[in-house]
Coordinates of all heavy atoms in Angstrom, one line a residue:
M176 N -2.8 134.7 133.5 CA -2.1 134.1 132.4 C -2.1 132.6 132.6 O -1.9 132.1 133.7 CB -0.7 134.6 132.4 CG 0.1 134.1 131.2 SD 1.1 135.4 130.6 CE 1.4 134.8 129.0
A177 N -2.4 132.0 131.5 CA -2.5 130.5 131.6 C -1.1 129.9 131.7 O -0.1 130.4 131.2 CB -3.1 130.0 130.3
V178 N -1.1 128.7 132.3 CA 0.1 128.0 132.5 C 0.2 127.0 131.4 O -0.8 126.3 131.1 CB 0.1 127.3 133.9 CG1 1.4 126.4 134.0 CG2 0.0 128.3 135.0
F179 N 1.3 126.9 130.8 CA 1.5 125.9 129.7 C 2.9 125.4 129.8 O 3.8 125.9 130.4 CB 1.2 126.5 128.3 CG 2.1 127.6 127.9 CD1 3.2 127.3 127.2 CD2 1.8 128.9 128.3 CE1 4.1 128.3 126.8 CE2 2.7 129.9 127.9 CZ 3.8 129.6 127.2
L180 N 3.1 124.3 129.1 CA 4.4 123.6 129.1 C 4.8 123.3 127.7 O 4.0 122.8 126.9 CB 4.4 122.3 129.9 CG 5.6 121.4 129.9 CD1 6.8 122.1 130.6 CD2 5.2 120.1 130.6
L181 N 6.0 123.6 127.3 CA 6.5 123.2 126.0 C 7.5 122.1 126.1 O 8.3 122.1 127.0 CB 7.2 124.4 125.3 CG 6.3 125.6 125.0 CD1 7.1 126.7 124.4 CD2 5.3 125.1 124.0
V182 N 7.4 121.1 125.3 CA 8.2 120.0 125.3 C 8.9 119.8 123.9 O 8.2 119.8 122.9 CB 7.4 118.7 125.6 CG1 8.4 117.5 125.6 CG2 6.7 118.9 126.9
L183 N 10.2 119.8 123.9 CA 10.9 119.5 122.7 C 11.3 118.1 122.6 O 12.1 117.6 123.4 CB 12.2 120.4 122.6 CG 13.0 120.3 121.3 CD1 12.1 120.7 120.1 CD2 14.2 121.1 121.4
L184 N 10.7 117.3 121.7 CA 11.0 115.9 121.6 C 12.2 115.7 120.7 O 12.2 116.1 119.6 CB 9.8 115.2 121.1 CG 8.5 115.2 121.9 CD1 7.4 114.5 121.3 CD2 8.8 114.7 123.3
Q185 N 13.2 115.2 121.3 CA 14.5 115.1 120.5 C 14.4 114.2 119.3 O 15.0 114.4 118.3 CB 15.6 114.6 121.4 CG 16.0 115.6 122.5 CD 17.0 115.0 123.4 OE1 17.4 113.9 123.4 NE2 17.6 115.9 124.3
G186 N 13.6 113.1 119.4 CA 13.5 112.2 118.2 C 12.8 112.9 117.0 O 13.3 112.7 115.9
T187 N 11.8 113.6 117.2 CA 11.1 114.2 116.1 C 11.3 115.7 115.9 O 10.9 116.3 114.9 CB 9.5 114.0 116.2 OG1 9.1 114.7 117.4 CG2 9.2 112.5 116.3
Q188 N 12.0 116.3 116.9 CA 12.2 117.8 116.9 C 10.9 118.6 116.7 O 10.9 119.6 116.1 CB 13.2 118.1 115.8 CG 14.6 117.5 115.9 CD 15.3 117.9 117.2 OE1 15.3 119.1 117.5 NE2 15.8 117.0 118.0
S189 N 9.8 118.1 117.3 CA 8.6 118.8 117.2 C 8.4 119.5 118.5 O 8.7 119.1 119.6 CB 7.4 117.8 117.1 OG 7.5 117.2 115.8
V190 N 7.8 120.7 118.4 CA 7.5 121.5 119.6 C 6.0 121.3 119.9 O 5.1 121.4 119.1 CB 7.7 123.0 119.4 CG1 7.3 123.8 120.6 CG2 9.2 123.2 119.1
Y191 N 5.7 120.9 121.2 CA 4.4 120.7 121.6 C 4.0 121.7 122.7 O 4.8 122.2 123.4 CB 4.3 119.3 122.3 CG 4.2 118.2 121.3 CD1 5.4 117.7 120.8 CD2 3.1 117.6 120.9 CE1 5.4 116.6 119.9 CE2 3.0 116.6 120.0 CZ 4.2 116.1 119.5 OH 4.2 115.1 118.6
I192 N 2.7 122.1 122.6 CA 2.2 123.0 123.6 C 1.2 122.3 124.4 O 0.3 121.6 123.9 CB 1.5 124.2 122.9 CG1 2.4 125.0 122.0 CG2 0.9 125.2 124.0 CD1 1.8 126.1 121.2
Q193 N 1.3 122.3 125.8 CA 0.3 121.7 126.6 C -0.5 122.9 127.3 O 0.1 123.8 127.8 CB 0.9 120.9 127.7 CG 1.4 119.5 127.3 CD 1.8 118.6 128.4 OE1 2.3 119.1 129.4 NE2 1.5 117.4 128.3
Y194 N -1.8 122.8 127.1 CA -2.6 123.9 127.6 C -4.0 123.3 128.0 O -4.6 122.6 127.2 CB -2.8 125.0 126.5 CG -3.7 126.1 127.0 CD1 -3.2 127.1 127.8 CD2 -5.0 126.2 126.5 CE1 -4.0 128.2 128.2 CE2 -5.8 127.3 127.0 CZ -5.3 128.2 127.8 OH -6.1 129.3 128.2
Q195 N -4.4 123.5 129.2 CA -5.6 123.0 129.8 C -5.9 121.6 129.5 O -7.0 121.2 129.1 CB -6.8 123.9 129.3 CG -6.8 125.3 129.9 CD -8.1 126.0 129.6 OE1 -9.0 125.5 128.9 NE2 -8.1 127.3 130.0
G196 N -4.9 120.8 129.6 CA -5.0 119.3 129.5 C -4.9 118.8 128.0 O -5.0 117.6 127.8
F197 N -4.7 119.7 127.1 CA -4.6 119.4 125.7 C -3.1 119.5 125.3 O -2.4 120.4 125.7 CB -5.4 120.3 124.8 CG -6.9 120.2 125.0 CD1 -7.5 121.2 125.7 CD2 -7.6 119.1 124.6 CE1 -8.9 121.1 126.0 CE2 -9.0 119.0 124.8 CZ -9.6 120.0 125.5
Q198 N -2.6 118.6 124.5 CA -1.2 118.7 124.0 C -1.3 118.7 122.5 O -1.8 117.7 121.9 CB -0.4 117.5 124.5 CG 1.0 117.5 124.0 CD 1.9 116.5 124.5 OE1 1.8 116.1 125.7 NE2 2.8 115.9 123.7
V199 N -0.8 119.8 121.9 CA -0.9 119.9 120.5 C 0.5 120.4 119.9 O 1.3 121.0 120.6 CB -2.0 120.9 120.0 CG1 -3.3 120.5 120.5 CG2 -1.7 122.3 120.6
Q200 N 0.7 120.1 118.7 CA 2.0 120.5 118.0 C 1.9 121.9 117.6 O 0.8 122.4 117.2 CB 2.3 119.6 116.8 CG 2.6 118.2 117.1 CD 3.0 117.5 115.8 OE1 3.3 118.1 114.8 NE2 3.0 116.2 115.8
L201 N 3.0 122.6 117.8 CA 3.0 124.0 117.3 C 2.7 124.2 115.9 O 1.9 125.1 115.5 CB 4.4 124.6 117.6 CG 4.7 126.0 117.1 CD1 3.8 127.0 117.8 CD2 6.2 126.4 117.4
E202 N 3.1 123.2 115.0 CA 2.8 123.3 113.6 C 1.3 123.2 113.4 O 0.7 123.8 112.5 CB 3.5 122.1 112.9 CG 4.8 122.4 112.2 CD 4.9 123.8 111.5 OE1 4.1 124.0 110.5 OE2 5.7 124.6 111.9
S203 N 0.6 122.4 114.2 CA -0.9 122.3 114.1 C -1.6 123.6 114.4 O -2.5 124.0 113.8 CB -1.4 121.2 115.0 OG -0.9 119.9 114.7
V204 N -1.1 124.3 115.4 CA -1.6 125.6 115.8 C -1.4 126.6 114.6 O -2.3 127.4 114.3 CB -1.1 126.1 117.1 CG1 -1.6 127.5 117.4 CG2 -1.3 125.2 118.2
K205 N -0.3 126.5 114.0 CA 0.0 127.4 112.8 C -1.0 127.1 111.7 O -1.5 128.0 111.0 CB 1.4 127.3 112.4 CG 2.4 128.0 113.4 CD 3.8 127.9 113.0 CE 4.7 128.5 114.0 NZ 6.1 128.5 113.6
K206 N -1.2 125.8 111.5 CA -2.2 125.4 110.4 C -3.6 125.8 110.8 O -4.4 126.2 109.9 CB -2.2 123.8 110.3 CG -0.9 123.3 109.6 CD -1.0 121.8 109.5 CE 0.3 121.2 109.0 NZ 0.4 119.8 109.0
L207 N -3.9 125.8 112.1 CA -5.2 126.3 112.5 C -5.5 127.7 112.0 O -6.6 128.0 111.5 CB -5.3 126.2 114.1 CG -6.5 126.9 114.7 CD1 -7.8 126.1 114.4 CD2 -6.3 127.0 116.2
S208 N -4.5 128.6 112.2 CA -4.7 130.0 111.8 C -5.0 130.1 110.3 O -5.8 130.8 109.8 CB -3.5 130.8 112.1 OG -3.3 130.9 113.5
N209 N -4.2 129.3 109.5 CA -4.4 129.2 108.0 C -5.8 128.7 107.7 O -6.5 129.2 106.8 CB -3.4 128.4 107.4 CG -2.0 129.0 107.4 OD1 -1.9 130.3 107.6 ND2 -1.0 128.2 107.4
L210 N -6.3 127.7 108.4 CA -7.6 127.1 108.1 C -8.7 128.1 108.4 O -9.6 128.2 107.6 CB -7.8 125.8 108.9 CG -7.0 124.6 108.5 CD1 -7.2 123.5 109.5 CD2 -7.2 124.2 107.1
E211 N -8.5 128.8 109.5 CA -9.6 129.8 109.9 C -9.7 130.9 108.8 O -10.8 131.4 108.6 CB -9.3 130.3 111.2 CG -9.5 129.3 112.3 CD -9.1 129.9 113.7 OE1 -8.2 130.7 113.8 OE2 -9.8 129.5 114.7
Q212 N -8.6 131.3 108.2 CA -8.6 132.3 107.2 C -9.2 131.9 105.9 O -9.8 132.7 105.3 CB -7.2 132.8 107.0 CG -6.6 133.6 108.1 CD -5.1 133.9 107.9 OE1 -4.5 133.6 106.9 NE2 -4.5 134.5 108.9
Q213 N -9.1 130.6 105.6 CA -9.6 130.2 104.3 C -11.0 129.5 104.4 O -11.6 129.2 103.4 CB -8.6 129.3 103.6 CG -8.2 128.1 104.4 CD -7.2 127.3 103.7 OE1 -7.4 126.2 103.3 NE2 -5.9 127.8 103.6
W214 N -11.4 129.1 105.6 CA -12.6 128.3 105.8 C -13.9 129.2 105.8 O -14.0 130.1 106.7 CB -12.5 127.5 107.0 CG -13.6 126.6 107.4 CD1 -14.4 126.8 108.5 CD2 -14.1 125.5 106.7 NE1 -15.4 125.8 108.5 CE2 -15.2 125.0 107.4 CE3 -13.8 124.9 105.5 CZ2 -15.9 123.8 107.0 CZ3 -14.5 123.7 105.1 CH2 -15.5 123.2 105.9
L215 N -14.8 129.0 104.9 CA -16.1 129.7 104.9 C -17.2 128.6 105.2 O -17.6 127.9 104.3 CB -16.3 130.4 103.6 CG -15.4 131.5 103.3 CD1 -15.6 132.0 101.9 CD2 -15.4 132.6 104.3
P216 N -17.5 128.4 106.5 CA -18.5 127.3 106.8 C -19.9 127.6 106.3 O -20.2 128.8 106.1 CB -18.4 127.3 108.3 CG -18.1 128.7 108.7 CD -17.2 129.2 107.6
N217 N -20.7 126.6 106.2 CA -22.1 126.7 105.9 C -22.8 127.5 107.0 O -22.7 127.1 108.2 CB -22.7 125.3 105.8 CG -24.1 125.3 105.5 OD1 -24.9 126.2 105.8 ND2 -24.5 124.2 104.8
P218 N -23.4 128.6 106.8 CA -24.1 129.4 107.8 C -25.1 128.6 108.7 O -25.2 128.8 109.9 CB -24.8 130.5 107.1 CG -24.1 130.6 105.8 CD -23.6 129.2 105.5
R219 N -25.8 127.6 108.1 CA -26.7 126.8 108.8 C -26.0 125.9 109.8 O -26.4 125.7 110.9 CB -27.5 125.9 107.8 CG -28.6 125.2 108.5 CD -29.4 124.3 107.6 NE -29.8 124.9 106.4 CZ -30.2 124.3 105.3 NH1 -30.3 123.0 105.2 NH2 -30.5 125.0 104.2
L220 N -24.9 125.3 109.4 CA -24.1 124.5 110.2 C -23.5 125.3 111.4 O -23.5 124.9 112.5 CB -22.9 123.8 109.4 CG -22.0 122.9 110.2 CD1 -22.7 121.7 110.7 CD2 -20.8 122.5 109.3
Q221 N -23.1 126.5 111.1 CA -22.5 127.4 112.1 C -23.5 127.8 113.2 O -23.3 127.8 114.4 CB -21.9 128.6 111.5 CG -21.0 129.4 112.4 CD -20.3 130.6 111.7 OE1 -20.6 130.8 110.5 NE2 -19.4 131.2 112.4
A222 N -24.8 128.0 112.7 CA -25.8 128.5 113.6 C -26.3 127.3 114.6 O -26.7 127.6 115.7 CB -27.0 128.9 112.8
Q223 N -26.1 126.1 114.1 CA -26.5 124.9 114.9 C -25.5 124.5 115.9 O -25.7 123.7 116.7 CB -26.9 123.8 114.0 CG -28.1 124.0 113.1 CD -28.3 122.9 112.1 OE1 -27.5 122.0 111.9 NE2 -29.5 123.0 111.4
S224 N -24.3 124.9 115.7 CA -23.2 124.4 116.4 C -22.6 125.4 117.5 O -22.6 126.6 117.2 CB -22.0 124.0 115.5 OG -20.9 123.6 116.2
L225 N -22.3 124.9 118.6 CA -21.7 125.7 119.7 C -20.1 125.7 119.6 O -19.5 126.4 120.3 CB -22.1 125.3 121.1 CG -23.6 125.3 121.3 CD1 -24.0 124.7 122.7 CD2 -24.1 126.7 121.2
V226 N -19.6 124.9 118.7 CA -18.1 124.8 118.6 C -17.7 125.8 117.5 O -18.4 126.1 116.6 CB -17.7 123.4 118.3 CG1 -18.0 122.5 119.5 CG2 -18.2 122.9 117.0
P227 N -16.4 126.2 117.5 CA -15.9 127.0 116.4 C -16.1 126.4 115.1 O -15.9 125.1 115.0 CB -14.4 127.2 116.8 CG -14.3 126.9 118.3 CD -15.4 125.9 118.5
S228 N -16.3 127.1 114.1 CA -16.6 126.6 112.7 C -15.4 125.8 112.2 O -15.6 124.8 111.4 CB -17.0 127.7 111.8 OG -15.9 128.7 111.7
V229 N -14.2 126.2 112.6 CA -13.0 125.4 112.1 C -13.1 124.0 112.5 O -12.4 123.1 111.9 CB -11.7 126.1 112.5 CG1 -11.4 125.9 114.0 CG2 -10.6 125.7 111.6
C230 N -13.8 123.6 113.6 CA -13.9 122.2 114.0 C -14.6 121.4 113.0 O -14.4 120.1 113.0 CB -14.7 122.2 115.3 SG -13.8 122.8 116.7
H231 N -15.3 122.0 112.0 CA -16.0 121.2 111.0 C -15.1 121.1 109.7 O -15.5 120.5 108.7 CB -17.3 121.9 110.6 CG -18.2 122.0 111.8 ND1 -18.8 120.9 112.3 CD2 -18.6 123.0 112.5 CE1 -19.6 121.2 113.4 NE2 -19.4 122.5 113.5
H232 N -13.9 121.7 109.7 CA -13.1 121.7 108.6 C -12.4 120.3 108.4 O -11.9 119.8 109.4 CB -12.0 122.7 108.7 CG -11.2 123.0 107.4 ND1 -10.5 122.1 106.8 CD2 -11.2 124.2 106.7 CE1 -10.0 122.6 105.7 NE2 -10.4 123.9 105.6
P233 N -12.5 119.7 107.3 CA -12.0 118.3 107.1 C -10.5 118.3 107.3 O -9.9 117.2 107.5 CB -12.4 117.9 105.7 CG -12.8 119.2 105.0 CD -13.2 120.2 106.1
A234 N -9.8 119.4 107.1 CA -8.3 119.3 107.2 C -7.8 119.8 108.6 O -6.6 120.0 108.8 CB -7.7 120.3 106.1
L235 N -8.7 119.9 109.6 CA -8.2 120.2 110.9 C -7.3 119.2 111.4 O -7.6 118.0 111.4 CB -9.4 120.3 111.9 CG -9.1 120.8 113.3 CD1 -8.7 122.3 113.3 CD2 -10.3 120.6 114.2
P236 N -6.1 119.6 111.9 CA -5.1 118.6 112.3 C -5.7 117.7 113.4 O -6.5 118.1 114.3 CB -4.0 119.4 112.9 CG -4.0 120.7 112.1 CD -5.5 120.9 111.9
Q237 N -5.3 116.4 113.4 CA -5.9 115.4 114.3 C -5.7 115.8 115.8 O -6.5 115.5 116.6 CB -5.3 114.1 114.0 CG -6.1 112.9 114.7 CD -5.6 111.6 114.2 OE1 -4.6 111.4 113.5 NE2 -6.4 110.6 114.5
D238 N -4.5 116.4 116.1 CA -4.3 116.7 117.5 C -5.1 117.8 118.0 O -5.2 118.1 119.3 CB -2.8 116.9 117.8 CG -2.2 118.0 117.0 OD1 -2.7 118.3 115.9 OD2 -1.1 118.5 117.4
L239 N -5.7 118.6 117.1 CA -6.6 119.7 117.6 C -8.1 119.3 117.7 O -8.9 120.0 118.3 CB -6.5 120.9 116.6 CG -5.2 121.6 116.4 CD1 -5.3 122.6 115.3 CD2 -4.8 122.2 117.7
Q240 N -8.4 118.1 117.1 CA -9.8 117.7 117.1 C -10.4 117.5 118.5 O -11.6 117.8 118.8 CB -10.0 116.5 116.3 CG -9.7 116.8 114.8 CD -9.7 115.6 113.9 OE1 -10.0 114.5 114.3 NE2 -9.4 115.8 112.6
P241 N -9.6 116.9 119.5 CA -10.2 116.8 120.8 C -10.6 118.1 121.5 O -11.6 118.1 122.3 CB -9.1 116.1 121.7 CG -8.3 115.4 120.6 CD -8.3 116.3 119.4
I242 N -10.0 119.2 121.1 CA -10.4 120.5 121.7 C -11.8 120.8 121.3 O -12.5 121.5 122.0 CB -9.4 121.6 121.2 CG1 -8.0 121.3 121.7 CG2 -9.8 123.0 121.6 CD1 -6.9 122.1 121.2
C243 N -12.2 120.4 120.1 CA -13.6 120.7 119.6 C -14.7 120.2 120.5 O -15.8 120.7 120.5 CB -13.8 120.2 118.2 SG -12.7 121.1 117.0
A244 N -14.4 119.1 121.3 CA -15.3 118.5 122.2 C -15.4 119.3 123.5 O -16.4 119.1 124.3 CB -15.0 117.1 122.5
S245 N -14.6 120.3 123.7 CA -14.5 121.0 124.9 C -15.5 122.2 124.8 O -15.7 122.8 123.8 CB -13.1 121.6 125.2 OG -13.1 122.5 126.2
R246 N -16.1 122.5 125.9 CA -17.0 123.7 126.0 C -16.2 125.0 125.8 O -16.8 126.0 125.4 CB -17.8 123.8 127.3 CG -18.8 122.7 127.5 CD -19.5 122.8 128.8 NE -20.3 121.7 129.0 CZ -20.9 121.5 130.2 NH1 -20.8 122.3 131.2 NH2 -21.7 120.4 130.3
E247 N -15.0 125.0 126.1 CA -14.1 126.2 126.0 C -13.3 126.1 124.7 O -12.2 126.8 124.7 CB -13.2 126.3 127.2 CG -13.9 126.5 128.5 CD -14.3 125.2 129.2 OE1 -13.7 124.1 128.9 OE2 -15.3 125.2 129.9
A248 N -13.7 125.4 123.7 CA -12.9 125.3 122.5 C -12.5 126.6 121.9 O -11.3 126.8 121.5 CB -13.7 124.5 121.4
A249 N -13.4 127.6 121.8 CA -13.1 128.9 121.2 C -12.0 129.6 122.0 O -11.0 130.1 121.4 CB -14.3 129.8 121.1
S250 N -12.1 129.6 123.3 CA -11.0 130.2 124.1 C -9.7 129.5 124.1 O -8.6 130.1 124.1 CB -11.5 130.5 125.5 OG -11.8 129.2 126.2
V251 N -9.8 128.2 124.0 CA -8.5 127.4 124.0 C -7.8 127.6 122.6 O -6.6 127.9 122.6 CB -8.8 125.8 124.1 CG1 -7.6 125.0 123.8 CG2 -9.3 125.5 125.5
F252 N -8.6 127.6 121.5 CA -8.0 127.9 120.2 C -7.4 129.3 120.2 O -6.3 129.6 119.7 CB -9.0 127.8 119.1 CG -9.3 126.4 118.7 CD1 -10.6 126.0 118.3 CD2 -8.3 125.4 118.7 CE1 -10.8 124.7 117.9 CE2 -8.6 124.1 118.3 CZ -9.8 123.8 117.9
Q253 N -8.1 130.3 120.8 CA -7.5 131.7 120.9 C -6.2 131.7 121.7 O -5.3 132.4 121.3 CB -8.6 132.6 121.5 CG -8.1 134.1 121.6 CD -7.8 134.7 120.3 OE1 -8.5 134.5 119.3 NE2 -6.7 135.4 120.2
A254 N -6.2 131.1 122.8 CA -5.0 131.0 123.6 C -3.8 130.4 122.9 O -2.7 130.9 122.9 CB -5.3 130.3 125.0
L255 N -4.1 129.3 122.2 CA -3.1 128.6 121.5 C -2.5 129.5 120.3 O -1.3 129.5 120.1 CB -3.6 127.3 120.9 CG -3.9 126.2 121.9 CD1 -4.6 125.0 121.2 CD2 -2.6 125.7 122.6
R256 N -3.4 130.2 119.6 CA -3.0 131.1 118.6 C -2.1 132.2 119.1 O -1.1 132.5 118.5 CB -4.2 131.7 117.8 CG -4.8 130.7 116.8 CD -5.8 131.5 116.0 NE -6.8 132.1 116.7 CZ -8.0 131.6 117.1 NH1 -8.2 130.3 116.8 NH2 -8.8 132.2 117.8
T257 N -2.5 132.7 120.3 CA -1.7 133.8 120.9 C -0.3 133.2 121.3 O 0.7 133.9 121.0 CB -2.4 134.3 122.2 OG1 -3.6 134.8 121.8 CG2 -1.6 135.4 122.9
M258 N -0.2 132.1 121.9 CA 1.1 131.5 122.3 C 1.9 131.2 121.0 O 3.2 131.4 121.1 CB 0.9 130.2 123.0 CG 0.3 130.3 124.4 SD 0.1 128.7 125.1 CE -1.5 128.9 125.9
A259 N 1.3 130.7 120.0 CA 2.1 130.4 118.8 C 2.7 131.6 118.1 O 3.7 131.5 117.4 CB 1.2 129.6 117.8
N260 N 2.1 132.7 118.3 CA 2.6 134.0 117.7 C 3.5 134.8 118.6 O 4.0 135.8 118.1 CB 1.4 134.8 117.3 CG 0.6 134.2 116.1 OD1 1.2 133.6 115.3 ND2 -0.7 134.4 116.2
D261 N 3.8 134.3 119.8 CA 4.6 135.1 120.7 C 5.9 134.2 121.1 O 5.8 133.3 121.8 CB 3.8 135.4 121.9 CG 4.6 136.3 122.9 OD1 5.8 136.5 122.8 OD2 3.9 136.8 123.8
D262 N 7.0 134.6 120.5 CA 8.2 133.8 120.8 C 8.6 133.8 122.3 O 9.1 132.8 122.8 CB 9.4 134.4 120.1 CG 9.4 134.1 118.6 OD1 8.6 133.2 118.2 OD2 10.1 134.8 117.8
C263 N 8.3 134.8 123.0 CA 8.5 134.8 124.5 C 7.6 133.8 125.2 O 8.0 133.1 126.1 CB 8.4 136.2 125.1 SG 9.9 137.2 124.8
E264 N 6.4 133.7 124.8 CA 5.5 132.7 125.3 C 6.0 131.3 125.1 O 5.9 130.5 126.0 CB 4.1 132.8 124.7 CG 3.2 134.0 125.2 CD 2.7 133.8 126.6 OE1 2.5 132.6 127.1 OE2 2.6 134.8 127.3
L265 N 6.6 131.1 124.0 CA 7.2 129.8 123.6 C 8.6 129.6 124.2 O 9.1 128.5 124.1 CB 7.1 129.6 122.1 CG 5.8 129.5 121.5 CD1 5.9 129.5 120.0 CD2 5.0 128.3 122.0
C266 N 9.2 130.6 124.7 CA 10.6 130.6 125.2 C 11.5 130.1 124.1 O 12.5 129.5 124.4 CB 10.6 129.6 126.4 SG 9.7 130.2 127.8
V267 N 11.2 130.6 122.9 CA 12.1 130.3 121.8 C 13.3 131.2 121.8 O 14.4 130.9 121.5 CB 11.3 130.3 120.4 CG1 12.3 130.2 119.3 CG2 10.3 129.2 120.4
N268 N 13.0 132.5 122.1 CA 14.0 133.5 122.0 C 14.7 133.6 123.4 O 14.1 133.9 124.4 CB 13.3 134.8 121.7 CG 14.3 136.0 121.5 OD1 15.5 135.8 121.9 ND2 13.8 137.1 121.0
V269 N 16.0 133.3 123.4 CA 16.8 133.3 124.7 C 16.9 134.7 125.3 O 17.2 134.8 126.5 CB 18.2 132.7 124.5 CG1 18.1 131.2 124.1 CG2 19.0 133.5 123.5
A270 N 16.6 135.7 124.5 CA 16.6 137.1 125.1 C 15.4 137.4 125.9 O 15.4 138.4 126.6 CB 16.8 138.1 123.9
C271 N 14.4 136.6 125.8 CA 13.2 136.8 126.6 C 13.4 136.6 128.1 O 14.2 135.7 128.4 CB 12.1 135.9 126.1 SG 11.5 136.1 124.4
T272 N 12.8 137.3 128.9 CA 12.9 137.1 130.3 C 11.6 136.4 130.8 O 10.6 136.5 130.2 CB 13.0 138.4 131.1 OG1 11.9 139.3 130.8 CG2 14.3 139.1 130.7
G273 N 11.7 135.7 131.9 CA 10.6 135.0 132.4 C 10.3 133.6 131.8 O 9.4 133.0 132.2
C274 N 11.2 133.2 130.9 CA 11.0 131.9 130.3 C 11.5 130.8 131.3 O 12.5 131.1 132.0 CB 11.7 131.8 129.0 SG 10.9 132.8 127.7
L275 N 10.9 129.7 131.2 CA 11.3 128.6 132.1 C 12.6 127.9 131.6 O 12.8 127.8 130.4 CB 10.2 127.5 132.2 CG 8.9 128.0 132.7 CD1 7.9 126.9 132.6 CD2 9.0 128.5 134.1

């Protein structure tokens, strides 16, 4: 299981996820899922690229863009989506065990 750190910034009340050296907002990861569902990339562009097709979406949140330069972009995006959908992973639910 990957190690990650969540930081709640008091000034902006934003939740950040740190994973494999990347720090992204939880809201950005939620937008990522929506973009992937609605984005139909050009098949020629997708065949030429080794990065996930959502990396070519013009509305990709800015804090997710550096992930596209990573060789592990697809697996990083998958891990972030999994964390964003699991309250225990995020330690949001106080009833969860194992949260930091």
